[in-house]
Amino acid sequence: MADLSKYRNIGIFAHVDAGKTTTTERILKLTGMIHKIGEVHDGESTTDFMEQEAERGITIQSAAVTCEWKKHRFNVIDTPGHVDFTVEVYRSLKVLDGGIGVFCGSGGVEPQSETNWRYANESKVARLIFVNKLDRLGANFFRVKDQVENVLGARPLVMTLPIGEEDNFVGVVDVLSQKAYVWDDSGQPENYEITDIPADLVDQAAEYREQLIETALEADEDLLMEYLEGELDPTEEQIKACIRKGTNELLFFPTYCGSAFKNKGMQLLLDAVVDYLPSPTEVPPQPLTDEEGEPTGKFAIVDAEEPFRALAFKIMDDRFGALTFVRIYSGRIKKGDTILNSFTGKTERVGRMVEMQAEDRTELSEAQAGDILAIVGMKNVQTGHTLCDPKNECTLEAMVFPEPVISIAVAPKDKGSTEKMGIAIGKMVAEDPTFQVETDEDSGETILKGMGELHLDIKVDILKRTYGVELEVGKPQVAYRETITGEIEDSYTHKKQSGGSGQFGKIDYRIKPGEPNSGFTFKSTVVGGNVPKEFFPAIEKGFKGMMDEGVLAGFPVLDVEVELFDGGFHAVDSSAVAFEIAAKGAFRQSIPKAGPQLIEPIMKVDVFTPEDHVGDVIGDLNRRRGMIKDQEAGTTGVRIKADVPLSEMFGYIGHLRTMTSGRGQFSMEFSHYNPCPQNVAEEVIAEVKARNEKK
């Protein structure tokens, strides 16, 4: 039986380009998992194995690797830093027990690291901090430490101090043991010696050790009192136990420094993962929920003897077939077992199970609570589904994913690509819950929907390169809608008499604007049986069927109320079909008279900007027809909240970065629909008309 106290499930997360992937590479090298180090900037790192990742030098999907250090087993997940892929970070944090936040020694705390830090706070994940790239020009460990305090509102517990900086960075001082670790210039992580602290750092190191002990002992009040009263000189064991307790209670974050690229300072970081980050049994257990997602008060206790419970947190397709990444919370699983997907209610048999070493894999015959592994060839499992023992059905707390806001139309260039595209898109939708696809019934075009421009850009790239589908890509489209502004009373008669049985239906009705978000409502106030009751459903169906296509530009119609108040029927010729046709004719006749209007999606936009650019950012949002709702000053900048039409937000990230010298960031989500100004509506209608004439 594996000893769970020797497991560490950790994630590495940070802003784009702070060095997460390089840090992961070094961990693999030091733990003997790889023998040649691959560099990100050569496109050769182990975990960035997608072409799109190697080329852009960014991580897009989380990659999982397993390795060992000092008889402890690490499951490491390298996560993306870019805002359009934060869903990857969110779902990785959901299944991890601890994390390493990597910050660039010169860039410091950057916008995306803030978002990821916030996610980690929400998930209550214990973390170490690693200030990387101290060999770079402009690197300053203490400046980054201050930013962690001010921007993230977190308490860094300084565990190592840099010896030298920029080109002269040679090693680190271990504050607790008061020893210096100095590396030679060979670039090999093993080539270091432990020496006394350089004379010019002795005072600083002693001062930081004092701070370290006081902060660490806050985790144990009794020890702190004894220490402050001068009765105790704590041992290294006592201090380490306090650091471990405080880290797991999120009181502070042990902070290390080094250069992953130059292989300096990594061993101490790995030791810290063993010493201070929690094992699977030390984190609060995952809550179980009912079918509606409400907590039941029960938990998935991390224990191999409990019934089997696991969460599928990622689906990945590669050359060996579909891989479902699973975190096991309790129980154990063997090859050949039958497990239940509590979301679909279907059982699946476990075929091959593998442990991932980035692209390589090791076959497993069994796994148990605390493990992160991949199961090959699961059929109907999606991200966020719970897998459990069929005799003990349960649901783990689900993941919540945002709705897509932007869409593009794509069409395969030739017949051969059509089928390939269908299969590829099916796989991609399973992998990424924030990516959705639908078919436009009129044009037959395939519409891809996602979280932002970069998100869709990468998806199209994967279709082209990974799956070899040649595509024609349209412009990004906004989901406009139509509604009405006026009330109208009208009458419509449908009659047809030409041999055989005739058709007859007469309706008198009122059409008026409905409540916001009401969609379509129908009511009848007919008295005296002029229209028999059995025809009401047909009339409602007729009106409702016409709501999918408005009269201005063919967009779906929202928020309309129809009241049927009178009419007439014929004993022989009236039928449900006749009244349905009458309702359709009535819609076409009356909606153009009821003041039809185009409405557009308004986004809740949250912009973060340094103080000196607030004026520019607000001016720019006003030019984009934005309504500023709120501003709040933080420690390093200002957050501006505004409502802005989606159509004005294309390409915004580029403008924002230019305005704020690359320091601004924003997020947006759908809020509500609002009427379009006349000039915008005219442009949209003209564009749709031109597109329809082409078809």
Side-chain angles (χ1 to χ4, degrees):
M1 274 312 295
D3 176 358
L4 278 180
S5 67
K6 300 251 189 301
Y7 273 52
R8 299 288 180 274
N9 290 322
I10 58 169
I12 295 184
F13 51 92
H15 187 75
V16 175
D17 227 19
K20 304 175 293 301
T21 302
T22 309
T23 305
T24 309
E25 282 290 304
R26 297 312 185 258
I27 290 176
L28 292 178
K29 172 77 172 78
L30 277 171
T31 55
M33 272 300 159
I34 53 174
H35 301 293
K36 171 187 176 291
I37 289 179
E39 299 306 350
V40 176
H41 51 79
D42 299 335
E44 285 182 357
S45 69
T46 312
T47 50
D48 281 356
F49 49 81
M50 284 168 65
E51 281 178 20
Q52 290 77 10
E53 299 181 304
E55 193 165 287
R56 288 176 166 83
I58 61 174
T59 304
I60 295 168
Q61 51 181 21
S62 318
V65 286
T66 302
C67 52
E68 279 205 5
W69 179 256
K70 296 199 171 166
K71 298 199 171 78
H72 283 66
R73 173 198 170 104
F74 290 5
N75 291 315
V76 185
I77 296 188
D78 175 23
T79 62
H82 197 284
V83 65
D84 282 9
F85 307 104
T86 35
V87 58
E88 286 276 354
V89 180
Y90 161 74
R91 61 177 169 189
S92 300
L93 282 166
K94 182 104 177 116
V95 298
L96 294 170
D97 306 324
I100 300 174
V102 179
F103 299 102
C104 171
S106 57
V109 174
E110 293 160 294
Q112 196 57 40
S113 27
E114 253 180 280
T115 312
N116 292 343
W117 194 264
R118 195 172 69 241
Y119 278 152
N121 282 343
E122 286 166 11
S123 302
K124 298 194 169 49
V125 171
R127 276 149 282 168
L128 304 174
I129 291 173
F130 181 56
V131 179
N132 190 19
K133 300 195 177 184
L134 285 183
D135 55 318
R136 278 186 55 173
L137 213 63
N140 182 330
F141 172 71
F142 298 101
R143 188 183 68 234
V144 181
K145 172 186 97 67
D146 292 345
Q147 285 184 335
V148 168
E149 289 174 348
N150 301 329
V151 180
L152 302 177
R155 281 180 75 185
L157 177 68
V158 176
M159 303 294 293
T160 60
L161 296 168
I163 302 174
E165 54 187 32
E166 297 181 1
D167 284 349
N168 304 320
F169 174 69
V170 292
V172 298
V173 172
D174 179 356
V175 175
L176 191 55
S177 69
Q178 293 283 299
K179 289 287 178 207
Y181 288 69
V182 180
W183 278 260
D184 64 18
D185 289 335
S186 68
Q188 291 304 315
E190 303 81 28
N191 295 352
Y192 67 93
E193 50 178 345
I194 301 177
T195 63
D196 288 335
I197 299 174
D200 58 338
L201 291 176
V202 169
D203 291 349
Q204 188 187 35
E207 185 187 322
Y208 270 97
R209 186 169 196 271
E210 191 76 11
Q211 281 181 20
L212 178 120
I213 294 170
E214 277 190 25
T215 308
L217 293 184
E218 283 178 25
D220 185 326
E221 274 184 26
D222 299 342
L223 286 183
L224 183 64
M225 290 316 295
E226 285 182 48
Y227 174 71
L228 292 175
E229 285 162 9
E231 292 166 15
L232 172 79
D233 184 13
T235 64
E236 202 164 296
E237 269 57 55
Q238 285 174 312
I239 298 170
K240 279 187 166 178
C242 287
I243 297 175
R244 185 179 183 86
K245 185 166 182 275
T247 304
N248 293 344
E249 289 171 1
L250 308 188
L251 294 178
F252 45 71
F253 303 93
T255 300
Y256 290 79
C257 63
S259 160
F261 181 54
K262 294 276 173 67
N263 281 310
K264 295 174 182 173
M266 299 300 297
Q267 284 92 335
L268 292 124
L269 182 67
L270 291 181
D271 288 347
V273 171
V274 168
D275 289 342
Y276 307 127
L277 287 181
S279 74
T281 52
E282 292 171 303
V283 289
Q286 280 284 325
L288 298 175
T289 63
D290 60 18
E291 281 155 18
E292 267 66 64
E294 296 299 316
T296 57
K298 292 183 183 158
F299 295 90
I301 308 296
V302 179
D303 181 350
E305 304 310 316
E306 288 266 317
F308 175 71
R309 297 182 180 123
L311 187 70
F313 68 95
K314 180 179 173 59
I315 312 285
M316 200 166 98
D317 201 77
D318 74 356
R319 58 183 190 269
F320 300 98
L323 294 173
T324 304
F325 282 89
V326 172
R327 160 77 199 259
I328 303 179
Y329 285 104
S330 53
R332 49 169 69 95
I333 180 176
K334 289 191 177 66
K335 211 168 155 170
D337 280 359
T338 299
I339 55 177
L340 173 72
N341 176 343
S342 65
F343 184 85
T344 60
K346 293 189 172 130
T347 55
E348 300 221 17
R349 198 170 159 279
V350 178
R352 292 170 58 210
M353 298 190 296
V354 293
E355 181 181 281
M356 301 294 290
Q357 258 78 41
E359 265 205 293
D360 300 323
R361 59 211 57 208
T362 317
E363 294 272 343
L364 299 173
S365 56
E366 63 174 316
Q368 60 153 19
D371 279 332
I372 290 180
L373 70 153
I375 302 177
V376 184
M378 299 279 258
K379 293 284 183 294
N380 302 307
V381 179
Q382 290 189 347
T383 302
H385 285 182
T386 300
L387 303 173
C388 57
D389 174 356
K391 295 191 204 65
N392 286 284
E393 189 174 338
C394 69
T395 307
L396 289 155
E397 193 175 54
M399 303 183 179
V400 184
F401 298 112
E403 283 295 310
V405 290
I406 174 174
S407 63
I408 50 173
V410 295
K413 282 190 180 158
D414 50 54
K415 281 275 188 295
S417 290
T418 310
E419 193 176 321
K420 270 203 284 192
M421 182 173 88
I423 295 167
I425 284 179
K427 290 177 176 175
M428 288 162 67
V429 170
E431 285 178 13
D432 181 353
T434 57
F435 176 56
Q436 295 177 9
V437 178
E438 60 185 46
T439 306
D440 181 334
E441 277 153 22
D442 300 339
S443 64
E445 287 178 319
T446 301
I447 311 289
L448 309 183
K449 299 177 163 188
M451 300 312 298
E453 288 170 279
L454 179 76
H455 191 205
L456 290 181
D457 185 33
I458 299 263
K459 296 297 179 200
V460 169
D461 206 39
I462 292 174
L463 277 171
K464 283 183 180 167
R465 282 201 286 180
T466 312
Y467 295 105
V469 181
E470 279 306 310
L471 292 174
E472 286 178 1
V473 181
K475 279 202 347 227
Q477 294 298 320
V478 177
Y480 290 102
R481 295 288 180 262
E482 298 182 20
T483 189
I484 54 171
T485 53
E487 185 172 334
I488 180 168
E489 196 169 294
D490 214 340
S491 172
Y492 189 90
T493 306
H494 168 68
K495 64 170 176 233
K496 185 176 156 218
Q497 248 92 18
S498 55
S501 61
Q503 290 184 353
F504 179 85
K506 174 176 185 288
I507 52 174
D508 297 339
Y509 54 89
R510 287 184 199 95
I511 292 183
K512 63 179 184 184
E515 292 293 314
N517 299 328
S518 62
F520 169 75
T521 42
F522 175 81
K523 60 180 186 183
S524 163
T525 52
V526 178
V527 285
N530 287 349
V531 179
K533 271 202 175 64
E534 66 260 31
F535 297 135
F536 292 173
I539 296 168
E540 180 174 356
K541 186 180 168 197
F543 276 114
K544 196 172 186 179
M546 297 296 284
M547 294 283 291
D548 291 340
E549 205 168 302
V551 294
L552 292 173
F555 292 110
V557 183
L558 295 180
D559 308 339
V560 170
E561 192 179 300
V562 176
E563 180 192 348
L564 177 72
F565 64 86
D566 206 354
F569 78 107
H570 185 285
V572 177
D573 291 348
S574 284
S575 66
V577 172
F579 275 105
E580 190 180 327
I581 294 171
K584 287 182 171 174
F587 183 94
R588 276 192 290 267
Q589 168 182 294
S590 304
I591 290 286
K593 305 183 203 166
Q597 184 179 49
L598 205 62
I599 52 179
E600 61 182 349
I602 304 294
M603 309 302 287
K604 256 201 324 233
V605 178
D606 191 340
V607 186
F608 170 85
T609 166
E611 268 174 38
D612 35 353
H613 300 292
V614 172
D616 301 342
V617 171
I618 288 181
D620 180 64
L621 286 170
N622 286 332
R623 276 193 296 281
R624 292 171 188 273
R625 304 193 280 124
M627 291 276 298
I628 308 296
K629 293 283 193 201
D630 189 23
Q631 292 182 52
E632 54 184 82
T635 38
T636 57
V638 178
R639 290 181 74 167
I640 300 163
K641 294 186 175 161
D643 286 352
V644 192
L646 174 60
S647 59
E648 302 286 344
M649 292 299 289
F650 291 135
Y652 182 63
I653 189 69
H655 290 279
L656 179 65
R657 286 193 178 137
T658 312
M659 275 187 301
T660 59
S661 340
R663 290 162 66 204
Q665 64 161 10
F666 84 104
S667 63
M668 64 177 183
E669 55 186 325
F670 172 73
S671 171
H672 60 281
Y673 276 96
N674 249 7
C676 279
Q678 194 57 38
N679 59 330
V680 175
E682 282 165 8
E683 268 174 47
V684 174
I685 292 167
E687 203 177 291
V688 170
K689 204 170 162 190
R691 213 180 322 152
N692 290 342
E693 279 166 7
K694 266 192 207 160
K695 284 176 189 170

